[in-house]
Amino acid sequence: MNKPLTIAMPKGRIYEEAAELMREAGYHLEVDAEESRKLILEFPEQNIQVMMAKPMDVVTYVEYGAADIGIAGKDVLLEQDRDVYEVLDLKISPCYVAVAGLPNQPLSRVAPKIATKYPKIASDYFREQGEQIEIIPLNGSIELAPIIGLTDRIVDIVSTGRTLKENGLVEYEKITDITSRLIVNPVSYRLKGREIDEMVTGLSKAVGGED
Ligand code: PRP
């Protein structure tokens, strides 16, 4: 048998949605992800190996060829600009990137501070707007920054909008819509093209809701 097709999958909620889509495409990758602490899951009957990775790291594993395929948020792809093929919009985990802050607070005239874990997306956006800003990079709980007066705005993911609301923040502008994408290592695409195309076709039908 050929070497298994290796897929880097994000841990947590996206895994559940992605595994469901895979099942519809004929690949049974169900695990009790919450229960298991295993980082490499083997599915020998399907000749597939799954690597459980942090969402931000999936693209790294695929770029370096440690995984042939990955499932990554468009937010991560926009932020990291890596050498991988983006082959399919899986349309799962929809959310968007937005600019938010305390209500009724005009942006400071001089170098407003923006907290974010997406420095590139934020810089690109404000550059297009002709604003000179200062990025304050944070790794999570970004909403804290304007509440405590550290920054004027945040650039962050909005899903249900609950986090903003419960912290008394409002959305100022939407930057871009986000969904999860199927990505492929370019060398793997050459070496395992048939298996990968088969998976892409199956997933594409599952996304489109076809039989
Ligand atoms: C994300 C994002 C927001 C929140 C938005 O955070 O950074 O904080 O979800 O979701 P909502 O609109 O449904 O409230 P995540 O849970 O990934 O944790 P983080 O704060 O550590 O980034």
Side-chain angles (χ1 to χ4, degrees), residues 26-78:
Y27 303 90
H28 295 268
L29 309 181
E30 283 87 357
V31 281
D32 195 342
E34 293 301 317
E35 284 294 306
S36 174
R37 288 285 182 277
K38 275 184 129 175
L39 299 175
I40 297 183
L41 308 168
E42 313 273 357
F43 299 93
E45 330 72 53
Q46 303 172 77
N47 206 26
I48 286 177
Q49 192 178 56
V50 171
M51 294 166 49
M52 304 294 273
K54 284 273 185 195
M56 285 273 191
D57 295 337
V58 165
V59 195
T60 305
Y61 290 117
V62 175
E63 183 180 38
Y64 285 93
D68 301 307
I69 289 180
I71 291 177
K74 183 68 183 175
D75 52 334
V76 180
L77 296 171
L78 287 171

Side-chain angles (χ1 to χ4, degrees), residues 6-11 13-22 29 50-51 53-59 61-62 67-77 85 88-93 179-184 199 203:
T6 305
I7 311 177
M9 303 262 280
K11 293 194 226 176
R13 188 172 54 85
I14 305 174
Y15 186 90
E16 308 292 325
E17 287 184 63
E20 170 64 21
L21 207 53
M22 286 281 190
L29 309 181
V50 171
M51 294 166 49
K54 284 273 185 195
M56 285 273 191
D57 295 337
V58 165
V59 195
Y61 290 117
V62 175
D68 301 307
I69 289 180
I71 291 177
K74 183 68 183 175
D75 52 334
V76 180
L77 296 171
Y85 294 155
L88 185 65
D89 182 353
L90 297 170
K91 300 194 178 149
I92 53 176
S93 310
T179 46
S180 294
R181 310 297 165 104
L182 192 72
I183 57 170
V184 179
M199 183 176 281
L203 282 170

Side-chain angles (χ1 to χ4, degrees), residues 78-97:
L78 287 171
E79 183 62 30
Q80 299 192 2
D81 197 16
R82 300 293 195 91
D83 187 14
V84 296
Y85 294 155
E86 182 185 324
V87 294
L88 185 65
D89 182 353
L90 297 170
K91 300 194 178 149
I92 53 176
S93 310
C95 55
Y96 57 97
V97 180

Side-chain angles (χ1 to χ4, degrees), residues 56 79 115-119 136-140 142 155-157:
M56 285 273 191
E79 183 62 30
T116 189
K117 57 181 169 193
Y118 301 105
I136 308 288
L138 294 174
N139 289 310
I142 315 292
V155 166
D156 199 17
I157 293 285

